[in-house]
């Protein structure tokens, strides 16, 4: 496969996953803001910007409607949902002969539907519906990929893009909980602390799975273990790393070459599998997440170099 085609598939999947993650974070921020006063709620909305790494680019007021509309459809915001869905569609069109008709059609339909929904500022009363549509359309594209695409290098590049982006998002959410959301250490274990942990779980669609596995108790250490080490949950770091490794191993077999990116990824996966939540907390959760994000970036760069994405 040409490097440019591999790049197109890889980034199409990343943009779709990133758009869905943004919608999930906005939904969590919206639900939290509903339970707080306007002044305090601005902290919740700021945390959404910080988690997405976009706080330094935002210059508007800290109200929910302003931030929500900037993240959904902000003019000149290349990280908005609308911009990312457009980028996903552009990449899908570029590699149209490599994907199935079903994948192209649902990607194109998703873009057209969101373009219509986001043509005007989204009112608070309509926000839930718009976020539902974004999540549903991203899920539809993934479903079309799963149900119609041959398990070849094209499919594996798409899955690698999805899991790299998903792991990055889960790690950022965990990090912002510890360093932005809580006013001080004195709040640990408080109602605010528990409510914020619930928001973390909700933003990754993990609240029901966690409560089912842990009999409903919101334990910060248990939640961190669930999101980092529980390989059964599809948005945990352990699950994403395992899938990344298997997809990259498949590419190595297909191209008869073990790449530097695969070796780096396998080492990271093996290291995480031997790590306990006690090890992580003793080392420091923020330090662990910082190192994880750095490794994730290095793996993405190595993939681009190994498969000549720029050619």
């Amino acid at each position: 496969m040409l490097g440019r085609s591999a790049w197109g598939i890889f980034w199409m999947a990343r943009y779709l996953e990133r758009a869905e993650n943004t919608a999930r974070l906005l939904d969590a921020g919206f639900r939290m803001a509903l339970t707080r006063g306007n002044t305090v709620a601005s902290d919740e909305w700021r945390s959404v910007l910080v988690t997405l790494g976009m706080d330094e680019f935002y210059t508007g007021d800290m109200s929910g409607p302003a931030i929500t509309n900037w993240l959904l459809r902000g003019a000149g915001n290349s990280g908005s949902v609308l911009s990312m869905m457009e980028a996903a569609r552009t990449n899908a069109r570029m590699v149209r002969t490599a994907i199935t008709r079903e994948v192209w059609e649902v990607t194109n339909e998703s873009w057209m539907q969101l373009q219509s929904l986001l043509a005007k500022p989204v009112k608070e009363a309509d926000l839930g519906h718009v976020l539902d549509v974004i999540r549903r359309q991203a899920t539809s594209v993934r479903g079309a990929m799963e149900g119609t695409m041959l398990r070849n290098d094209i499919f594996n590049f798409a899955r690698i893009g999805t899991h790299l982006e998903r792991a990055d998002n889960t790690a950022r959410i965990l990090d912002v909980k510890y360093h932005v959301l809580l006013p001080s250490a004195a709040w640990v274990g408080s109602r605010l602390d528990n409510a914020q942990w619930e928001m973390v779980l909700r933003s990754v669609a993990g609240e029901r799975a966690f409560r089912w596995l842990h009999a409903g108790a919101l334990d910060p250490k248990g939640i961190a273990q669930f999101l980092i080490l529980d390989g059964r949950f599809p948005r945990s770091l352990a699950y994403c790393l395992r899938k990344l490794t298997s997809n990259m191993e498949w590419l190595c077999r297909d191209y008869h070459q073990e790449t530097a990116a695969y070796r780096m990824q396998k080492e990271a996966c093996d290291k995480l599998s031997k790590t306990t939540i006690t090890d992580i907390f003793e080392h420091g959760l923020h330090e662990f997440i910082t190192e994880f994000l750095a490794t994730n970036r290095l793996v993405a760069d190595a993939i681009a170099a190994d498969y000549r994405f720029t050619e």
Side-chain angles (χ1 to χ4, degrees), residues 87-99:
R89 177 180 179 266
T90 300
N91 280 277
R93 185 167 54 188
M94 184 177 75
V95 296
R96 192 168 172 178
T97 56
I99 58 179

Side-chain angles (χ1 to χ4, degrees), residues 47-77:
S47 73
V48 172
L49 291 169
V50 172
T51 304
L52 292 170
M54 300 176 74
D55 52 316
E56 62 182 294
F57 306 110
Y58 181 70
T59 57
D61 65 66
M62 299 305 291
S63 67
I67 292 175
T68 298
N69 275 286
W70 188 73
L71 289 176
L72 287 176
R73 54 183 296 280
N77 178 12

Side-chain angles (χ1 to χ4, degrees), residues 11-78:
W11 274 104
M12 171 192 162
R14 290 201 75 166
Y15 284 130
L16 284 167
E17 184 71 22
R18 197 175 293 179
E20 180 183 349
N21 289 333
T22 300
R24 290 187 177 283
L25 271 171
L26 281 172
D27 183 56
F30 176 60
R31 290 175 186 276
M32 282 296 295
L34 287 177
T35 65
R36 317 290 297 280
N38 288 337
T39 303
V40 183
S42 65
D43 292 337
E44 312 300 342
W45 288 113
R46 184 172 62 86
S47 73
V48 172
L49 291 169
V50 172
T51 304
L52 292 170
M54 300 176 74
D55 52 316
E56 62 182 294
F57 306 110
Y58 181 70
T59 57
D61 65 66
M62 299 305 291
S63 67
I67 292 175
T68 298
N69 275 286
W70 188 73
L71 289 176
L72 287 176
R73 54 183 296 280
N77 178 12
S78 60

